[in-house]
Amino acid sequence: MPQSEIAIVGAGLVGAGWAIVFARAGRRVRIFDASSETRAAFLGNVATALAAMQRHGLVDDPDAVVARMSVVGSVAEAVSGAAYVQESVFETIPVKQAVSLEIDAAIGPDTVVGSSTSGFPASTFTEGCANRARFLVAHPVNPPHLVPVVELVPAPWTAPEAVATTRALMDEVGQTPVTVNREIDGFILNRLQGAILDEAFSLYAQGYASAADIDATISRGLGLRWSFMGPFETIELNAP
C-alpha cells in the first residue's frame, strides 16, 4: 500500500494503540472520537505512553511519532482521503452500525475499513453499507502497539482485495496479520484462549491443582514455548 494517510475512529485505549502503530511506522494519522474530552486529552496521553515506551527501548523518537498525528473534529474529516480506516468505537452492535454507516458515507472509492471489534462478525454491523465490500474485522490484541498479532476476518461480502490490502498494510507497519477465512464467533485468538480457560477452570473446580499451580503450568511451562512457537510447531518438534 502506498504511503498515505490512516484514519482512526474511536480514540480510546485501542484506538490510541493503533495510532501509535501507524505513526511509529511513518504514516500520518488523523484521529476522531465522539467525546470532546477524549479528543482534547488524546495527544497528551499518547505522548505519555510513548515516553514510557522510550524508557524501555521500544521507540526511538516519541516527538516524531506524535507529530504525525492530528486530532480532527468529525468522522468525515478523519476518513476523507484516507487509504485505511481503523474503527475502534464502543463495543456494541448499534454503535458500530451507526459509525460504519457514517464512515461509509465519507470514504473514498478505494478506502478499506477495519474494525477492532473483539468478537462481533463484520456481517452484524456492515450489511447496510454501500461500500460493504471494503469493510472487514481487523481485531488486535490489546494493546496493539505492544502485541503485534491482528486477526483479519472478512464478512461474506468482503472483497478478497480488501483483505489482501489490509494484510499488506499490517505487514508494512510491523503487525502480524492472521487471516481467518470465514466468520466465526470469537475469531481464532479468543476461541483458543477460551478453550484453555475452560479446561483450567475445570481442573481447578475438580481439585486437581491450585489456581496458582495451573497458572504456573502455562507461565513457566507451555507459555515459554508458546512465546515463539505455535501449537502445531510445538507438537511437531515434540513428536514428529
Side-chain angles (χ1 to χ4, degrees):
M1 176 180 286
Q3 292 290 318
S4 47
E5 292 194 338
I6 303 296
I8 305 292
V9 178
L13 290 175
V14 175
W18 274 120
I20 291 172
V21 166
F22 292 117
R24 180 178 60 190
R27 297 300 186 99
R28 298 201 64 82
V29 185
R30 296 194 299 266
I31 300 106
F32 172 75
D33 193 276
S35 165
S36 58
E37 291 83 2
T38 298
R39 295 197 303 273
F42 182 83
L43 293 178
N45 291 340
V46 166
T48 299
L50 286 165
M53 291 172 66
Q54 185 181 37
R55 289 195 296 272
H56 293 281
L58 298 176
V59 67
D60 295 327
D61 190 348
D63 291 341
V65 176
V66 175
R68 296 187 193 104
M69 301 181 190
S70 57
V71 178
V72 299
S74 69
V75 167
E77 189 178 356
V79 307
S80 178
Y84 178 79
V85 179
Q86 187 71 41
E87 171 269 299
S88 302
V89 300
F90 191 66
E91 190 79 343
T92 72
I93 289 176
V95 170
K96 289 191 176 292
Q97 285 174 329
V99 81
S100 293
L101 289 170
E102 193 171 359
I103 292 168
D104 181 54
I107 57 174
D110 299 314
T111 305
V112 175
V113 183
S115 174
S116 296
T117 179
S118 60
F120 298 138
S123 60
T124 62
F125 56 87
T126 67
E127 185 173 7
C129 295
N131 298 292
R132 66 182 191 173
R134 289 184 275 123
F135 281 72
L136 71 156
V137 166
H139 167 234
V141 180
N142 194 27
H145 61 292
L146 298 179
V147 185
V149 77
V150 52
E151 297 180 289
L152 307 181
V153 192
W157 44 75
T158 304
E161 295 79 12
V163 180
T165 296
T166 307
R167 186 173 181 113
L169 172 63
M170 295 301 167
D171 277 329
E172 287 176 16
V173 299
Q175 300 301 94
T176 302
V178 172
T179 300
V180 184
N181 292 325
R182 61 183 185 274
E183 290 187 329
I184 183 172
D185 289 340
F187 318 139
I188 302 299
L189 187 145
N190 284 330
R191 293 180 73 89
L192 290 172
Q193 181 173 243
I196 293 170
L197 281 170
D198 283 347
E199 186 62 20
F201 279 125
S202 177
L203 290 168
Y204 175 77
Q206 296 179 72
Y208 285 109
S210 68
D213 282 353
I214 293 170
D215 271 353
T217 303
I218 299 295
S219 65
R220 305 301 296 170
L222 291 171
L224 297 179
R225 293 176 178 171
W226 291 346
S227 66
F228 64 96
M229 292 190 299
F232 294 127
E233 290 173 300
T234 299
I235 201 64
E236 173 67 16
L237 290 172
N238 184 58

